[in-house]
Amino acid sequence: MKITRIARGFGLGGIALAMAATSMPVAAQDDGEARIRKLEAEVRALQRKVFPGGDGRYFEPQITGQPAAQPSTASTTSTTAVTDILTRLDALEAQLQRLTAQYEVGSNAMRLLEERIEVLEAGGTATTAPAQVAAAQPAIQPATTQRPAAQPAAQQPAASQPSPERVAAVQAIAKPQTDDPADDEYSYGFRLWEAGFFPEAQQQLTLFVERYPSHWRTTYGRNLLGRAYLDDKKPNEAAPWFLKNYQSDKGGARAGDSLLYLAETMIALKDTKRACIALAEFGEAYPALAAGRLQGQYERNLGKVTCS
């Protein structure tokens, strides 16, 4: 058991050192101290990368589990020395893993922020389609339409700027300020959509679903984002959001709505086969909605297509 524990702490390369510790405690401790100094140097280097500061201040390693200094006596055994080293190594390695994770999260957040800044500087609207939509449930996947080739820069039409009246009207829509910032972001997107400002609602709701993917309002946000595109006569952009919302959580509060709107989107794209598949699945998966809150919409969509 003693050799197994030591081998776990040092790895295959440290087994010989652990086995020799019973006869050479000083050598084992010296070698372990060298590893500790190397790990501490790596932790400090990573900390400087995670927490850089122009004023030269950095977070010092907070290493727990380091044993208190013991007086050097003849009664100190080699087992105690190696155990103390193992405890310090475990603490250092755990801290190194935490710092690495923090650096990766910070780097990803910075990358997303830089992408959004580039889009804003280019005068466009950031619209990120949900990931992995194409891989899931191909039977009701929207048909792919071929986009026109990009025009040379000199021939591209200038992006239309909103009129001062529209800007003023959008600014007049107040953003809620409550103790739930995520719900405020969704509610603001809903107000923009309700007022008929569909491009602005698309941008706001995209920001919401990307920033708060696990909030209880997210099922509402993805569904409303699809509707904002559908109401803006952009069914190709709407379909992936409806499909994403349905497949992410089929028991979600707006999953059934999204499946029915997906059928409506397929009808708008004149894809009768996929529209019928979505309608059939809606009737089977959500009979209470089909006979209740969404009955009128369900029957209207059924009347628009002829399904075999």
Side-chain angles (χ1 to χ4, degrees):
M1 292 295 294
K2 184 185 296 182
I3 293 176
T4 301
R5 184 182 177 187
I6 293 172
R8 179 183 60 80
F10 285 95
L12 294 177
I15 292 178
L17 171 61
M19 293 179 65
T22 57
S23 59
M24 294 184 295
V26 176
Q29 192 166 5
D30 288 345
D31 195 18
E33 291 290 343
R35 290 192 64 201
I36 289 173
R37 286 195 297 271
K38 181 176 182 295
L39 277 172
E40 286 177 335
E42 292 177 355
V43 169
R44 286 195 296 271
L46 184 56
Q47 283 177 321
R48 286 194 295 271
K49 199 169 187 179
V50 177
F51 306 108
D55 55 1
R57 293 182 298 175
Y58 303 102
F59 291 88
E60 292 299 326
Q62 297 177 355
I63 303 167
T64 58
Q66 183 171 347
Q70 299 290 338
S72 177
T73 63
S75 62
T76 303
T77 64
S78 62
T79 301
T80 301
V82 173
T83 301
D84 292 345
I85 292 173
L86 280 174
T87 303
R88 294 180 66 188
L89 283 173
D90 288 342
L92 277 169
E93 290 171 348
Q95 189 182 23
L96 189 60
Q97 291 174 356
R98 289 194 301 270
L99 288 170
T100 301
Q102 292 176 17
Y103 174 68
E104 291 174 349
V105 171
S107 297
N108 185 55
M110 183 61 70
R111 178 182 60 80
L112 293 175
L113 181 60
E114 289 173 350
E115 290 177 356
R116 297 187 68 85
I117 290 174
E118 290 174 359
V119 172
L120 289 172
E121 289 178 345
T125 300
T127 305
T128 305
Q132 299 178 345
V133 169
Q137 200 164 353
I140 57 175
Q141 189 72 1
T144 302
T145 57
Q146 186 174 1
R147 305 267 183 192
Q151 296 177 333
Q155 299 179 10
Q156 290 181 349
S160 59
Q161 297 296 325
S163 65
E165 293 78 13
R166 184 182 183 91
V167 172
V170 170
Q171 291 176 345
I173 298 176
K175 182 177 181 179
Q177 299 290 333
T178 70
D179 57 355
D180 188 345
D183 191 59
D184 294 342
E185 297 290 353
Y186 166 77
S187 297
Y188 184 49
F190 178 86
R191 293 180 181 184
L192 290 169
W193 168 80
E194 189 176 38
F197 297 117
F198 301 132
E200 292 83 356
Q202 293 158 17
Q203 184 172 3
Q204 174 63 27
L205 291 167
T206 298
L207 181 148
F208 165 70
V209 299
E210 289 179 349
R211 184 176 295 176
Y212 304 101
S214 301
H215 194 267
W216 69 274
R217 278 287 198 188
T218 302
T219 182
Y220 292 85
R222 285 192 295 250
N223 182 69
L224 189 58
L225 180 53
R227 293 186 63 182
Y229 279 116
L230 188 60
D231 293 341
D232 201 21
K233 311 301 181 185
K234 297 178 179 178
N236 281 310
E237 287 79 2
W241 287 108
F242 290 136
L243 185 61
K244 169 73 173 178
N245 198 45
Y246 166 63
Q247 292 180 329
S248 293
D249 180 10
K250 295 183 180 180
R254 287 294 181 266
D257 297 63
S258 288
L259 181 57
L260 187 56
Y261 274 110
L262 178 62
E264 195 166 312
T265 303
M266 294 298 100
I267 293 173
L269 291 171
K270 303 186 184 305
D271 192 335
T272 302
K273 178 180 178 181
R274 288 184 174 87
C276 289
I277 292 173
L279 287 169
E281 187 163 347
F282 173 80
E284 181 179 348
Y286 304 99
L289 290 176
R293 177 170 63 86
L294 299 178
Q295 180 180 6
Q297 182 181 355
Y298 177 49
E299 291 178 349
R300 284 194 302 273
N301 286 330
L302 284 174
K304 294 177 182 178
V305 291
T306 301
C307 300
S308 57

